[in-house]
Amino acid sequence: MKDSGYEYSVVRGFAFSALFWLVVGLIIGLWIAFEMFNPALNITPWLSFGRLRVVHTNGLGLGFGLAGIFATAYYMLQRLTRTPLPFPRLARAHLWLFNTAIALAAVSLMAGMNTTKEYAELEWPLDIGVVILWVMFAVNVFAILIKRREKQMYISLWYLIAMTVTIAVLYIVNNLEIPVTPFKSYSIYVGANDANVEWWYAHNIVGFIFTVPVLAMFYYFLPKATGLPIYSHRLSIVSFWSLIFAYLWTGAHHLMLTPLPEWIQTVAIAFSIFLIAPSWGSVMNGYYTLHGNWEQMRSNYLAKFFILGITFYGLQTLQGPLQGLRTLNAFFHYTDWVVGHVHMGTMGWVTMIISASFYYMIPKITGREIYSIKLANVHFWFILTGQLVWTITMWIGGIQQGAMWKATNPDGSLMYSFLDGLTSLYPYYRIRFAGGVVYFIGILIFGWNLIQTVRQKPATAEA
Amino acid sequence: MGINSKPVVFAILSAVVILIGTVVTVFVPLFMPSTQPVSSYVKPYTAIELEGRDIYIREGCNNCHTQTVRPLRTEVLRYGEYSKAEEFAYDRPFLWGSRRTGPDLNRLGGKYPDSWHYKHMQSPQSMFELSNMPAYGWLASNRLDTSNSFRKTSIQGFGYSAEQVKQQIADYAGKVTSAGYDSKTTRDLVTPASLRGELTEMDAIVAYMQKLGRDVKSMEAKR
């Protein structure tokens, strides 16, 4: 049992890469949050909001999110198949190339090499790099699944397979472009079609990075961390297939009331509402897993992360479809409400689950105990408080902005100029920044706790 | 349980399942002309406007500005006629945006004189004290690179010859550097002396601002 031949160095490498890009991405996030109420911070073109916002979203989505996914995926794949990684050197190359690509991505985006398509802003040479990285990952995924020693594939593996396949399709289709120079290209799609392809991509890349693999972590690490089996296998089957089926129809709810043909918008609304069911299938599966053992919320620090995480996932997947309804969308779209929505998912659901997964996994792969459960609890409360302040502030600000855009005088004229609406948000932007700082402190504690964990002497009693 | 022990079959089945919605809502519309109709009223961008658009893209202006006016009463009141699909027949990539930190720009063309834009780009806060828009005065210190302009318009399929592109560039340079240019004073104010006789990135982005929604406005005027 001591030496099973499992490849853990790459797991560890990706985990700490995730941590690094998380800190970098959050510093940039704080910077642009400050720019929102103090434009003097747009010191140089490289640090101007328009360029930096993209570094923030890509840095956290691709840098932190993907690295966290790769770390946990390489771990779960080996454990769930009871098979060592077939190509460990390929995985290590994957790690180095990944970090190089993210660094190049950050620099190129700051230099203004940017296709504008959200979450697909990287220019074409880096797109090719991303595809190569994905293939390097997929080779190990499918090789280990084929060689596996455990006959049945557990739920988490389904989600990892779906992610591997779907991201490939999404990324390639949306990034088809014609190069002008090595640093500039044009999309092959035009106008309304370009918009439709892009939001099909953007919605689903969020789904297949921030939902699908995070659910894989949830289904694996929740039972591991609590010692409780998943409540219903059947429910997880139904949830999985209906989730991945319905997801791909819903991108156009991001294009409500635009010139995109109305039928595409309406189909997207219908499937968005449908998506509540499979999303809540996983939420209920999580809650019922703890059924009868809720005392773990007090006794087991990891249970808190998982249950709060899945709760934010549940709220997120209710809020999302409701925002997609035409009447509500007419009010909320383009305001800070949506920004709040996204951050509940990323700061609440994604980070909570990745944090808990790392807390479980890092001690396992290094043969050490977690450095401090107390610090993990402090980390939990900081990121929870920071996130709540952040998102609730943005929801209130969004409602206010939406209302001010719509307000009319008795004679039918507009009551507020655009600038009135914007400047009324500055107090909210300051509070949001403060929430971000609290959250960031929580993340620093998280990082410190993990670093101290691996720096300890290995526990001798157990391996 | 069959499929849960067959990874390759599982992957293929997942691919089929995710492709159903994709084909119906994304691939099929690509081949329906009604998704992106073309109107003779909407003209392609000139080489200069396209260069300006590329600067808009480079600076990530789409992160704060949308370019779609929705068919809502207060929105039409604020910005003008709502956006039609025909207007985007030359947009690669589309720039509809997703967040309005700043106002929508789809009807901006012709709303203000060029001088307004030069001044505003140079210092948004000098015109709106509480604006949070970054200043873009430095664009006027960058000579406009037109070496790829013809290649760009060709890839976009605008159908200009190399000569026409050259002419468009020369015409626009002639316009903004001439003594009779109505925004000459402001342009000279924001442009370094050494570049006043040439095209700058600032000139191009102003040209693009003035193109936005212009064709629809002229169509309405003819009615």
Side-chain angles (χ1 to χ4, degrees):
Chain A
M1 191 65 206
K2 184 153 172 45
D3 184 29
S4 48
Y6 289 151
E7 163 61 47
Y8 285 151
S9 72
V10 69
V11 173
R12 185 171 158 166
F14 270 116
F16 282 93
S17 304
L19 208 54
F20 175 78
W21 294 115
L22 176 59
V23 170
V24 171
L26 290 178
I27 291 171
I28 293 170
L30 288 172
W31 187 277
I32 59 176
F34 204 86
E35 286 180 339
M36 291 289 279
F37 58 86
N38 189 345
L41 228 54
N42 293 282
I43 303 165
T44 67
W46 284 56
L47 296 176
S48 68
F49 184 91
R51 295 189 187 183
L52 224 45
R53 186 239 169 193
V54 184
V55 183
H56 169 70
T57 53
N58 281 273
L60 289 175
L62 304 179
F64 164 61
L66 274 187
I69 291 163
F70 290 142
T72 50
Y74 280 129
Y75 180 77
M76 289 188 285
L77 283 165
Q78 297 185 87
R79 304 298 309 192
L80 286 169
T81 58
R82 289 194 292 120
T83 309
L85 211 55
F87 305 111
R89 287 178 61 182
L90 181 69
R92 280 194 288 273
H94 178 211
L95 170 65
W96 288 107
L97 211 65
F98 169 85
N99 282 307
T100 312
I102 298 295
L104 285 174
V107 172
S108 69
L109 291 172
M110 280 200 260
M113 298 162 198
N114 172 354
T115 66
T116 76
K117 295 177 81 169
E118 279 187 60
Y119 320 123
E121 284 96 346
L122 302 182
E123 267 301 351
W124 67 273
L126 278 167
D127 286 340
I128 294 171
V130 171
V131 172
I132 293 170
L133 281 167
W134 203 254
V135 171
M136 292 168 88
F137 174 63
V139 166
N140 260 318
V141 171
F142 286 104
I144 200 169
L145 288 173
I146 288 164
K147 288 180 67 174
R148 75 193 184 288
R149 287 185 222 153
E150 182 70 45
K151 192 164 165 34
Q152 288 293 312
M153 295 191 296
Y154 179 67
I155 310 166
S156 299
L157 296 179
W158 317 340
Y159 281 97
L160 291 179
I161 293 172
M163 170 191 76
T164 310
V165 171
T166 311
I167 301 254
V169 174
L170 292 168
Y171 202 83
I172 292 171
V173 172
N174 188 49
N175 282 294
L176 292 179
E177 50 216 359
I178 306 164
V180 179
T181 70
F183 315 110
K184 171 80 189 166
S185 65
Y186 291 125
S187 173
I188 67 160
Y189 313 104
V190 184
N193 275 311
D194 195 39
N196 194 32
V197 173
E198 156 60 21
W199 283 103
W200 160 81
Y201 163 88
H203 179 73
N204 288 291
I205 202 83
V206 172
F208 284 79
I209 287 185
F210 286 156
T211 298
V212 166
V214 184
L215 282 172
M217 295 176 207
F218 182 76
Y219 278 114
Y220 177 82
F221 290 106
L222 174 72
K224 282 288 178 189
T226 57
L228 303 166
I230 279 293
Y231 166 68
S232 166
H233 191 71
R234 176 172 301 194
L235 182 57
S236 68
I237 294 177
V238 176
S239 303
F240 171 80
W241 288 104
S242 49
L243 183 89
I244 70 162
F245 172 70
Y247 231 106
L248 282 288
W249 295 76
T250 57
H253 68 208
H254 291 263
L255 295 170
M256 223 31 76
L257 298 168
T258 67
L260 187 74
E262 204 169 324
W263 70 268
I264 306 179
Q265 301 178 24
T266 306
V267 168
I269 296 175
F271 276 91
S272 304
I273 297 297
F274 173 83
L275 262 181
I276 296 173
S279 306
W280 273 77
S282 291
V283 176
M284 295 325 281
N285 227 341
Y287 285 163
Y288 275 101
T289 296
L290 258 81
H291 187 68
N293 292 281
W294 282 104
E295 84 288 348
Q296 289 212 16
M297 288 294 275
R298 285 189 71 184
S299 58
N300 179 353
Y301 74 108
L302 291 177
K304 281 207 298 286
F305 281 93
F306 284 116
I307 291 303
L308 261 291
I310 200 76
T311 301
F312 287 120
Y313 174 66
L315 294 174
Q316 183 81 357
T317 52
L318 281 179
Q319 197 183 46
L322 292 178
Q323 279 165 209
L325 298 176
R326 254 191 202 91
T327 37
L328 290 177
N329 195 271
F331 188 88
F332 286 122
H333 200 197
Y334 306 129
T335 72
D336 273 314
W337 173 279
V338 183
V339 183
H341 168 71
V342 174
H343 285 79
M344 171 166 64
T346 50
M347 298 165 88
W349 155 243
V350 176
T351 321
M352 284 277 182
I353 301 301
I354 292 185
S355 296
S357 304
F358 280 14
Y359 276 143
Y360 176 84
M361 184 178 78
I362 299 290
K364 287 280 173 205
I365 61 170
T366 54
R368 294 157 168 87
E369 290 293 317
I370 191 76
Y371 171 68
S372 165
I373 290 174
K374 202 171 192 174
L375 276 184
N377 279 317
V378 176
H379 155 208
F380 172 84
W381 288 108
F382 267 77
I383 65 170
L384 178 65
T385 313
Q387 182 259 122
L388 286 173
V389 170
W390 205 112
T391 52
I392 293 171
T393 307
M394 286 299 98
W395 292 331
I396 298 170
I399 293 169
Q400 177 170 309
Q401 192 172 33
M404 287 178 82
W405 287 348
K406 277 191 169 302
T408 50
N409 295 308
D411 68 353
S413 60
L414 293 171
M415 194 178 280
Y416 299 103
S417 73
F418 187 88
L419 198 66
D420 291 336
L422 171 68
T423 53
S424 77
L425 293 177
Y426 291 166
Y428 298 99
Y429 287 167
R430 289 171 200 275
I431 300 170
R432 180 252 302 265
F433 179 79
V437 170
V438 172
Y439 179 87
F440 183 60
I441 293 170
I443 293 298
L444 290 179
I445 295 168
F446 174 44
W448 172 256
N449 207 358
L450 285 188
I451 290 168
Q452 290 304 110
T453 299
V454 299
R455 288 181 64 187
Q456 294 173 109
K457 284 207 182 83
T460 42
E462 182 192 14
Chain B
M1 256 289 288
I3 189 172
N4 289 342
S5 54
K6 296 192 180 71
V8 177
V9 178
F10 195 103
I12 293 168
L13 193 64
S14 319
V16 171
V17 166
I18 62 139
L19 280 171
I20 298 170
T22 302
V23 169
V24 175
T25 62
V26 180
F27 292 173
V28 168
L30 275 176
F31 299 97
M32 294 169 67
S34 57
T35 311
Q36 181 51 72
V38 180
S39 155
S40 58
Y41 281 105
V42 180
K43 302 279 179 270
Y45 300 96
T46 65
I48 297 295
E49 288 159 359
L50 186 63
E51 291 294 350
R53 193 171 194 269
D54 284 344
I55 293 161
Y56 184 96
I57 288 172
R58 184 186 74 197
E59 296 313 320
C61 305
N62 58 299
N63 286 299
C64 290
H65 294 281
T66 56
Q67 291 188 16
T68 33
V69 180
R70 295 175 293 177
L72 302 169
R73 192 171 64 89
T74 46
E75 197 133 311
V76 171
L77 266 179
R78 190 179 298 280
Y79 301 114
E81 181 62 16
Y82 68 86
S83 303
K84 318 287 189 298
E86 288 85 345
E87 297 177 55
F88 305 98
Y90 301 101
D91 280 21
R92 282 173 208 261
F94 81 109
L95 293 174
W96 291 354
S98 60
R99 167 85 184 93
R100 283 181 186 151
T101 300
D104 188 274
L105 301 181
N106 194 43
R107 294 284 172 262
L108 185 62
K111 192 173 176 184
Y112 307 109
D114 290 359
S115 56
W116 188 97
H117 288 289
Y118 281 110
K119 224 157 82 185
H120 186 253
M121 288 281 179
Q122 162 87 357
S123 169
Q125 286 72 31
S126 71
M127 296 169 82
F128 305 102
E129 199 193 333
L130 294 172
S131 166
N132 63 356
M133 180 170 145
Y136 287 98
W138 55 273
L139 289 177
S141 310
N142 288 358
R143 183 179 286 110
L144 184 70
D145 177 7
T146 55
S147 56
N148 289 312
S149 295
F150 172 63
R151 190 171 150 73
K152 286 179 173 181
T153 59
S154 316
I155 290 173
Q156 293 271 359
F158 293 168
Y160 306 138
S161 66
E163 283 311 304
Q164 284 173 310
V165 167
K166 217 180 249 172
Q167 195 57 46
Q168 287 173 358
I169 295 167
D171 286 351
Y172 199 75
K175 178 190 161 187
V176 297
T177 56
S178 86
Y181 179 44
D182 63 358
S183 300
K184 184 179 182 341
T185 330
T186 325
R187 182 181 183 269
D188 284 354
L189 214 63
V190 305
T191 313
S194 59
L195 287 174
R196 276 179 206 153
E198 298 174 68
L199 282 176
T200 67
E201 293 189 344
M202 179 77 96
D203 296 325
I205 201 163
V206 171
Y208 174 59
M209 295 289 103
Q210 297 291 23
K211 159 77 174 175
L212 290 169
R214 209 61 189 271
D215 298 330
V216 171
K217 286 184 182 176
S218 66
M219 180 181 79
E220 282 176 348
K222 275 185 213 151
R223 271 189 190 154

